[in-house]
Amino acid sequence: MVVFVCAVSLAANWLAPVGYAKQFREAPGAPPSHEHWLGTDEVGRDRFGARALRTRISLLLAPAAALVSTLLAALVAGLRDT
């Protein structure tokens, strides 16, 4: 599952070439279809494109947050022992 999520985030530009900002005003709140795999939101933005592009951001921020928390924990542990 993790490999699948990573693959989708890497291929987000190919799988969702329209991106998140483009609005399909003729189809607000549309159900899933061939054009919009997960449908559209209230203002007509593609839900799949939004999730695919946001997944990339999440996958980049998670390791950064883990690194920062590890460094802070090491710093606090080091200061506590002195």
Side-chain angles (χ1 to χ4, degrees):
M1 188 65 157
V2 173
V3 172
F4 175 73
V5 170
C6 290
V8 167
S9 70
L10 288 174
N13 290 339
W14 180 72
L15 291 172
V18 182
Y20 178 69
K22 172 130 172 77
Q23 294 180 357
F24 298 92
R25 295 184 186 232
E26 69 280 355
S33 65
H34 290 295
E35 185 178 350
H36 306 290
W37 293 355
L38 296 178
T40 59
D41 63 6
E42 300 81 31
V43 293
R45 294 177 296 209
D46 186 48
R47 288 184 177 169
F48 177 76
R51 278 160 185 75
L53 294 170
R54 288 178 186 160
T55 301
R56 182 181 299 168
I57 294 169
S58 297
L59 289 175
L60 290 173
L61 289 179
L67 178 65
V68 168
S69 66
T70 302
L71 293 175
L72 285 174
L75 178 68
V76 169
L79 291 175
R80 191 173 142 223
D81 288 339
T82 59

